[in-house]
Amino acid sequence: MLKKVLPHVLSVLAFLVISVAYYSPVVTKGERVYAGDSIHYKGMSHETISYEDIEGERPQWTDSMFGGMPTVQITGSGIMTLPKYIWSFFRLFLTAEMMTLFVAMLSAYVLALCLKAPPIVAFISGITFGLASVNVLYLAAGHATKVRAISLMPGILGGVIYTYRENKWGGAAIAALFLAMHIDANHLQMTYYLMFMIGAVGITEMVYAIYNKAIKSFLVSSVLLIVAATISILPSLPSLALTKDYSHHTTRGEVILNNASDIEASGLDKDYILQYSMSKGEWLSAVIPNIKGGSERVNFDPYGPLPIYWGDQAGSSGAFYFGAIAFALLTFMFFGTRERLKWPVIIVGGLAIILSWRDASFVTDFFLDNVPMFSKFRDTKMMLVLIQLSVVLGVTVSLKKIWDKANSNYIKGLAISFGSLLGMLLVFLAVPKMIFDFEPSIAPDRLAGLPDLISTRVGVFRADVLRSMVFIMLAGVGLTAVLMSKVKKEIVFGILAFVMLLDIWSVDKRYDTKFVSEDQVNFPHEASEIAMLILDRESAQIPNFNKEYERQLEALKEKFSLKINKVNVEKKFEVESNVAKFRALNQNSHFRVYDLTNPMNDAQTSYFFKSIGGYHGAKLRRYQDFIEHQITPFEYAGPISQLIEKMRGPNMTEEEQTKIMRTANYYFQNIPMQPLNMLNCKYVYDSRFGFANENPGALGPAWMVHHIEWVETDDDELMTLQDLDVSKIAVMHNEFAELMPELATIDSTSTLDQVELIKYHPEGSTYKVKSEMGGLLVLSEIWYPDGWTATVDGEQTDLVRANYILRALPVEAGEHNVVLSYEPPKAEMAGVASNIGSILLLLFVVGGWFMCCRSCERKEA
């Protein structure tokens, strides 16, 4: 038993060591990975987390981004499930990045074992998949959920294959466990792409079953896998339901405006989907990392200075490199084996390559127009994770065949596969300019005009071609020696494992993974001078602000074990102290700011204030329409960006700089404020130039109107706002005239209305309203049809939509208390349903393995 178990224990320990070693500064220096999207997450979630630190529960709504939105796609539902408990167990002794890398290697190891590979082959498969550059690149960028979803793919596929080929119950249990954890990662794009591979493998197994007259066994296995998939979804089903409900109201759902002719009827815009897709030959970075220059930012390059990336993606952090030897072994599966898995790999892999192109083909157009859900996801190059999955299948199948039958029968197949790949690389090395242009075909070339640019790029390309050829030849020689019985296979496979680890590791380390202190990760943003001025001005108007500040400071001290006192609070812990001040400000006020620096693609402002902009891939559709037609059509960003580029130019005189600053100030001063007034945008500033204005026209958290402009279409509702005084008139769709007929009669004037914000909370604020005649209370809070309710003096009142994006409700004459409340539909039962799903999943996995063990015992008997 020890002899059987020991290799697996050693492999798992090796994966653990490799994961820790890759992120060694975490252990040796106590640092943390500084990832861009993780830092954005800190900004997006800061308001929500600040309430959780005080109240113990996460609000389901936040006003910190895009005027306001649900938090389900920012911080998650907060519901604990069996998969989350498993992830939490790994987090006890590993950082998030280490954990994900470890799970990716472990998952591929399980896939190899499901294909009955020996431990050394399974170990090689694990490091091949786990250390693929796509994993470390996206972990460095902060796309944690994406990589977490990718990391579980091999385990799911392994379970499916094991169900069809070896043991129905054991395979279904494996598939259910890995799929449950994969779904919990909540990256539906990766789940969607995985379905292509699972479907192709299923069809292949069906054809094989029909040919061998084993259709009954196939059907039983398929039914069991469907049951396993259903059970694996159950723990996350409530969260998925919340996501689905939310998606209908976002840019991923149906369009609202009839004049949006340049946008598909549903889904995302084609150019938006493809802007980060690859050049046609760029997928070959799987075997030649610098086939398109690799990255815009390079941490280490053994071949000298590396020119900027010259592919067609809008930006690149690095190549999708899966290992030269690993790719060669994939070709061996095609030419040297009869493994039926090669057919789904060829079909799905070819499709993934075509759909990863930025220069869209008719295939891409067909998928965008006709294949359900395909247009819901951007960045089609992520389909190349199916190549990553194919490569680990190729490594496993090929090495298993060579290990099991180490004889000369496979030499011909090895020579054809490795020789063909080396021949292609030799052509690339000899005549690179006949194959590639070495400049973008669609995207602009940022280095165009530099001397010797093309020859430098050719040199970089050739160096990596030669590098890959050397690795492939070394592996070919070693494996040929095994097949000719010249060297023990254990020795060659051990050396091969080290060489393949070195191959992928060395490419991964070319790309930048930034490490910083733990304090910088916990508190990633430092307030600008403008932000501090706003803080000082607004905090002075809040009664007992210092008391609120002390409460927030104590919460931070407890959470992060900070040792802050009055002596050092303005020195070492100045940033943490300011964070507490901004938290106190935001929990006791309700106004928004508009930082023009990068407003709609940055979450730093949301870290400090309630922002007009933000950073999120699924904004509310109505708010996006409002951005495009009311906020950003007025030219500011373009001219200012051009001015900044001029200021960066060489030999800029002081007079020229002054002229540029005056021009920038002109644009700044002439930004139309009407759209911002109704969002209670109290401050507009530009951190790049130091410009800041307090907006006297901001209408406050809520105001009364006594005239309604009724319109028949959504387009009219939005466009009518351009020439309207929204402080006195509200625009409303006719659908609400039928719902609340009393609103149709509102048409009067009054100057005696008083609206006071009594208490702010993201899940519902409280207002005191005094009105002489009654009217429509318009709230500077974003309309969302699901979950929001209102009471007036304790009586339920229907909310209506005003001004295309705002909530509103009728209020009668007199003094009233108005209370808003948000509770997502299905939220009450979500926790219970997830617990039931987790129990069923646990029973299925344990029961499946029990049945598997009994089956194995019967076979041995």
Side-chain angles (χ1 to χ4, degrees), residues 42-43 46 522-525 579 582 586 603-609:
K42 293 282 187 179
H46 194 219
N522 292 335
F523 304 97
H525 301 293
V579 169
F582 279 104
N586 277 300
Q604 179 170 339
T605 306
S606 300
Y607 189 79
F608 299 104
F609 300 110

Side-chain angles (χ1 to χ4, degrees), residues 810-829:
V811 175
E812 296 178 352
E815 247 184 73
H816 306 282
N817 286 323
V818 177
V819 180
L820 278 291
S821 180
Y822 179 69
E823 185 174 341
K826 308 169 187 173
E828 290 185 6
M829 296 300 297

Side-chain angles (χ1 to χ4, degrees), residues 446-640:
R446 301 178 190 178
L447 293 183
L450 288 182
D452 301 321
L453 177 63
I454 300 300
S455 60
T456 302
R457 288 173 170 174
V458 170
V460 170
F461 169 77
R462 277 179 162 161
D464 257 8
V465 171
L466 185 59
R467 175 189 183 278
S468 294
M469 291 178 69
V470 170
F471 275 115
I472 292 170
M473 285 188 288
L474 287 174
V477 169
L479 293 174
T480 301
V482 170
L483 293 174
M484 295 179 67
S485 302
K486 298 294 185 180
V487 186
K488 285 187 176 182
K489 59 186 179 183
E490 291 84 359
I491 296 175
V492 171
F493 275 63
I495 295 172
L496 186 65
F498 174 77
V499 172
M500 291 178 72
L501 174 62
L502 177 65
D503 173 19
I504 303 176
W505 182 291
S506 60
V507 172
D508 289 345
K509 286 298 181 180
R510 294 181 185 183
Y511 308 125
D512 186 26
T513 298
K514 185 177 181 181
F515 293 92
V516 297
S517 69
E518 189 168 359
D519 283 346
Q520 283 180 273
V521 171
N522 292 335
F523 304 97
H525 301 293
E526 188 169 350
S528 65
E529 291 184 13
I530 295 174
M532 292 303 298
L533 287 172
I534 295 173
L535 171 66
D536 292 341
R537 180 177 297 180
E538 292 295 327
S539 62
Q541 302 174 36
I542 298 175
N544 301 318
F545 177 79
N546 288 334
K547 183 178 179 180
E548 292 294 327
Y549 157 64
E550 292 290 343
R551 186 169 71 127
Q552 295 291 339
L553 194 57
E554 286 300 317
L556 289 175
K557 288 165 64 176
E558 182 178 349
K559 182 175 182 178
F560 296 108
S561 301
L562 301 173
K563 297 178 181 178
I564 305 176
N565 55 51
K566 291 183 179 180
V567 175
N568 62 25
V569 73
E570 295 300 330
K571 296 179 182 178
K572 183 178 179 182
F573 296 102
E574 181 178 0
V575 173
E576 292 87 337
S577 173
N578 287 339
V579 169
K581 290 178 181 177
F582 279 104
R583 285 187 171 193
L585 172 65
N586 277 300
Q587 291 190 16
N588 292 275
S589 63
H590 188 11
F591 65 91
R592 296 186 180 91
V593 304
Y594 187 24
D595 184 352
L596 295 156
T597 305
N598 187 21
M600 303 307 167
N601 200 34
D602 183 76
Q604 179 170 339
T605 306
S606 300
Y607 189 79
F608 299 104
F609 300 110
K610 300 173 183 68
S611 176
I612 294 295
Y615 180 89
H616 201 273
K619 296 188 284 292
L620 291 176
R621 170 71 73 178
R622 284 188 175 274
Y623 197 82
Q624 180 64 28
D625 292 341
F626 190 77
I627 290 172
E628 293 176 359
H629 293 278
Q630 296 292 332
I631 296 179
T632 59
F634 311 105
E635 289 297 331
Y636 176 82
I640 292 300

Side-chain angles (χ1 to χ4, degrees), residues 16 20 27 86 88-95 98-99 102:
L16 194 62
V20 173
V27 177
I86 295 173
S88 298
F89 170 75
F90 287 127
R91 288 289 282 119
L92 291 175
F93 51 92
L94 295 171
T95 66
M98 292 177 183
M99 171 190 72
F102 172 73

